[in-house]
Amino acid sequence: MTLAAANAALLWAALTTYAVLAGADFGGGVWDLLASGPRAAQQRRAVAEAMGPVWEANHVWLIFLVVGFFTAFPPAFAVLALALYLPLTLALVGIILRGAAFAFRAHGAEAEGASRWGLVFGSASLLAPFFLGAAAADVAAGHVHANGRPAGVFEGWATPEALLIGLLAVSLCAYLAATYLLVETADRPDLQADFRRRALGAGALAGVLAIATLALARSQAPRLFETLTGNGLPLLVLAILNGGVALWTVWRTRPRVARAAVIAQVVLVIWAWPLGQWPYLVPPDLTVAGSAAPSQALQAMLVVTGVGMALLAPSLWYLFHVFKGRLPQA
Amino acid sequence: MNNVTLARATMGTSLGFHIVFAVLGVGLPLLMFVAEGLWLWRRDPGWLELARRWSKAFGILFAVGAVSGTALSFELGLLWPGFMAFSGSIIGLPFSAEGFAFFLEAVFLALYLYGWDRLSPVAHWLTSIPIAVSGAASSLFVVMANAWMNSPAGFHLDAAGKLVSVDPLAAALNPSTATEDPHMLVSAYVVTGFLVAAVYAAGMLRGRTDLHHRRGLALGMAMAAPAIALAGITGDSSARFIYQAQPVKFAAMEGLYQTQRGAPIHLGGIPSDSQHRVLFAIEIPYGLSLLAAFDPNAQVQGLDSYPPDLRPNPVVVHLSFDTMAGLGTLLGLLALGFWILVVRGRRLPLQRRLLWALVVAGPAAAVTMEAGWFVTEFGRQPWIVYGLIRTSQAATSAPALGATFGVFLAIYALLALTSARLLLRLARGARQAGA
């Protein structure tokens, strides 16, 4: 593997980790927004308790991704920043408001304004995955050109497939969150039943949106369709098979198996993308090799990551051990 | 407004907002470490109460700092794609290292905030160490990238100006790092110390002179006093480095137009490009040459030796510099006076006038630091990378920058007001608890 490919794989691993961990936190916001029924307050509390200790650490994967991207592939980063200015800025607005609102509600706003910030927390949790998903779709569909200059506000990124994949991203986040909450609420059967229904709904919606995306890509976005049905096909087939398994395990209320299956679903979808568009980083103009930084920077990136992970991995293990260990005694 | 102005306004607002939360993220964990340590040592629950109060405030501050810091990492590319396309690989190393430092800070902060009942007291206290260390390390790493923009190093270009090789370590340890990094780190402790002291001084002015408030004030000032002294020393070496490395920035800081030996210092006043001098200033003859090179006859380059389009705006830079140096001196005198009164009286001084001064000193310390960043950033103009890339060439050509600037302004205003309100409520709670 070349240095450039190693860096690309590293960034994709960070993206995957971010999606699996922080995606569920955004999904938690969705369920906060949609909390309903006699146990609405308990649903919100379950979301807040699950997210509280981990969301900030989960969030840092995004920063690592951004920083690693501009270190290892600066020209591609600049091209994306220019072409996708608006969707990325809107995702950023969602990220800022989501995090701030969660903290305001958790650490301060006990007496007043809690529900107002709760509303901000929930709606901002929709913005970030929607626009990050849309931006990713634009890259995969080949809408981002190296010398392109955005002429209009919505031009070049607000395509039907981008909007559809944005919705798919939101539904996957909600699916992840509801499935994780099955595990977290194992000792409260009524609450677990609430999240089981929600997981089934979000999972079914994600499946419908995924099929719609494929159909749309086939007729409207040939590059996206090629990406998904080319080198990415094996993973796509696995994803479709696994999708059924995941839904079935949620249906049967097997929380831990379901959690693993839904994580696998997200991992398969995210890795089908780079395999499908290899050797391109930002098709059709920029390849992984062609947009890579000078080799010393790529080496430094791997060294820093190695040293950093040596410190981080045990710390993260300790964090999840303390707060997500089996049957935590709160 | 054009895109360059809008991009600068957005970036400046984001940085100016984030830095206040960031410095508290560096300083507060150290205070929490000391207070909780005193509790473990003395078994006096008052110290624990102090650490717990600060950790609640820190929960809010860190979250807002984290999301505004995320905004900055995005905005580097979103607002300055031309800058990042060139610089990303060169200054990526400190940014990646900062990413991991931030990671560790987030992990151990979560253990600290949510772990009061899950960890043993000693284990809980120990988690504050990585928070304090990685908070400080984050600031050092990020400022390395800013230092590189002032004295770019660690890369080679071919004849066509294309980047052919980089030396990330040399870029991170560029010449400005040695002076910028220490100055920023101690400034973080200055701002934290004075802001913490200001909260308790305000409580004391309302009659809450209980032990809780006296301890909070004392710990804040114990951090502020040595830090402000060190800020003076590191700031002085920073200015002398700029005299060597960025003479045009130095000339703008001092409002010096003509290159001369035995240059005077201008205190205050408004530099006038049309009259080539500083109007309404107090002049100290030979002062500048003495400060810059310890030699009253040292030559100092003036603004006039540079073409107008290569000079920073001397009005902004000079006034910012004088604000920083002036307020910094006053803060130093205040801290010195405070501790003299403590030593003489063998107890905390509670004179109302002194308490009022301490209340004002908190925000003043933040203003001092912001003014310092104005000097660094406005003083580097018209360059985004000194001598290499102009700011105007680096800005994005994306549409709707005006609208997004408005959105960010509104968000930062909302976050600032809400954080302030929640922190004040926490402080009020502290007064009641301490009564």
Side-chain angles (χ1 to χ4, degrees), chain A residues 52-53 56-57 59 61 63-64 67 70-71 74 77-78 81-82 85 103 108 112 117 149 293 296-297 304 312 315 318 322-323, chain B residues 62-63 70 77 81 84-85 88-89 92-93 95-96 100 102-104 107-108 110 114 118-119 165-166 396-397 401 404 418 425:
Chain A
E56 276 171 306
H59 166 77
W61 289 103
I63 296 182
F64 178 76
V67 166
F70 71 58
T71 307
F77 180 77
L82 185 58
Y85 176 79
E112 49 127 339
W117 281 111
R149 232 156 242 285
Q296 304 87 350
V304 169
L312 179 64
S315 311
Y318 187 55
V322 168
F323 294 109
Chain B
F62 184 79
T70 309
M84 290 313 288
S89 62
L93 177 76
F95 275 118
S96 314
F100 279 105
F102 181 39
F103 236 136
L104 291 170
V107 168
F108 284 97
Y114 292 87
R118 293 190 184 226
L119 303 174
S165 75
V166 301
T396 183
S397 55
L401 237 56
T404 53
T418 310
R425 185 193 293 158

Side-chain angles (χ1 to χ4, degrees), chain B residues 30 186-187 189-190 193-194 218-234 331-332 335-336 338-339:
Chain B
L30 193 53
V186 295
S187 302
Y189 297 122
V190 169
F194 276 111
L219 276 191
M221 289 309 288
M223 174 176 270
I228 189 74
L230 289 171
I233 295 167
T234 53
L331 290 172
L336 184 66
F338 175 88
W339 284 111

Side-chain angles (χ1 to χ4, degrees), chain A residues 192-203:
Chain A
Q192 194 185 38
D194 288 351
F195 286 116
R196 173 178 165 274
R197 273 197 308 279
R198 282 163 172 72
L200 288 173

Side-chain angles (χ1 to χ4, degrees), chain A residues 18-34:
Chain A
Y18 179 65
V20 165
L21 295 174
D25 295 334
F26 289 122
V30 175
W31 296 127
D32 184 284
L33 191 65
L34 299 181

Side-chain angles (χ1 to χ4, degrees), chain B residues 283-306:
Chain B
E283 265 192 34
I284 302 175
Y286 303 104
L288 190 56
S289 292
L290 262 175
L291 265 183
F294 300 122
D295 169 6
N297 290 312
Q299 176 162 307
V300 182
Q301 259 188 308
L303 286 165
D304 283 345
S305 55
Y306 291 85

Side-chain angles (χ1 to χ4, degrees), chain B residues 138-380:
Chain B
S138 288
S139 83
L140 294 177
F141 287 133
V142 163
V143 175
M144 283 178 190
N146 181 270
W148 181 84
M149 294 161 74
N150 282 309
S151 53
F155 59 94
H156 287 284
L157 307 178
D158 64 13
K162 194 181 171 313
L163 189 64
V164 286
S165 75
V166 301
D167 181 346
L169 212 55
L173 303 176
N174 66 82
S176 295
T177 297
T179 51
E180 263 196 74
D181 259 28
H183 192 47
M184 183 62 234
L185 184 62
V186 295
S187 302
Y189 297 122
V190 169
V191 176
T192 306
F194 276 111
L195 276 175
V196 166
V199 169
Y200 293 101
M204 289 178 162
L205 278 172
R206 296 186 180 192
R208 306 281 176 182
T209 52
D210 50 79
L211 195 59
H212 181 81
H213 279 73
R214 293 203 302 272
R215 282 174 171 170
L217 180 69
L219 276 191
M221 289 309 288
M223 174 176 270
I228 189 74
L230 289 171
I233 295 167
T234 53
D236 176 61
S237 66
S238 200
R240 238 171 297 112
F241 173 77
I242 291 167
Y243 163 69
Q244 303 282 346
Q246 290 174 298
V248 66
K249 182 190 268 187
F250 191 76
M253 277 155 55
E254 297 292 351
L256 190 76
Y257 280 90
Q258 285 89 22
T259 301
Q260 56 193 280
R261 293 187 175 281
I265 276 186
H266 298 110
L267 297 182
I270 298 167
S272 162
D273 278 352
S274 57
Q275 299 190 35
H276 300 270
R277 64 191 191 87
V278 185
L279 310 175
F280 318 118
I282 301 167
E283 265 192 34
I284 302 175
Y286 303 104
L288 190 56
S289 292
L290 262 175
L291 265 183
F294 300 122
D295 169 6
N297 290 312
Q299 176 162 307
V300 182
Q301 259 188 308
L303 286 165
D304 283 345
S305 55
Y306 291 85
D309 72 323
L310 287 184
R311 298 179 202 165
N313 179 336
V315 179
V316 177
V317 178
H318 176 62
L319 290 180
S320 301
F321 179 74
D322 278 14
T323 303
M324 173 189 72
L327 282 179
T329 307
L330 290 177
L331 290 172
L333 293 174
L334 178 63
L336 184 66
F338 175 88
W339 284 111
I340 287 177
L341 287 175
V342 171
V343 172
R344 279 216 188 145
R346 292 174 178 274
R347 60 190 294 275
L348 281 191
L350 300 176
Q351 293 92 323
R352 291 189 74 79
R353 244 180 292 175
L354 179 75
L355 292 176
W356 268 114
L358 290 172
V359 169
V360 176
V367 170
T368 309
M369 171 191 62
E370 298 276 6
W373 276 110
F374 271 54
V375 175
T376 314
E377 295 300 293
F378 280 95
R380 196 188 57 240

Side-chain angles (χ1 to χ4, degrees), chain B residues 28-55 112 116 125 128 200 212 215-216 219:
Chain B
L28 263 186
L30 193 53
L31 289 178
M32 281 151 37
F33 168 77
V34 171
E36 199 179 349
L38 284 168
W39 171 64
L40 286 174
W41 183 33
R42 289 295 183 64
R43 289 288 155 185
D44 173 343
W47 291 116
L48 178 65
E49 175 63 18
L50 213 47
R52 274 189 177 257
R53 291 274 162 198
W54 286 338
S55 83
Y112 193 89
W116 289 104
W125 175 57
S128 64
Y200 293 101
H212 181 81
R215 282 174 171 170
L219 276 191

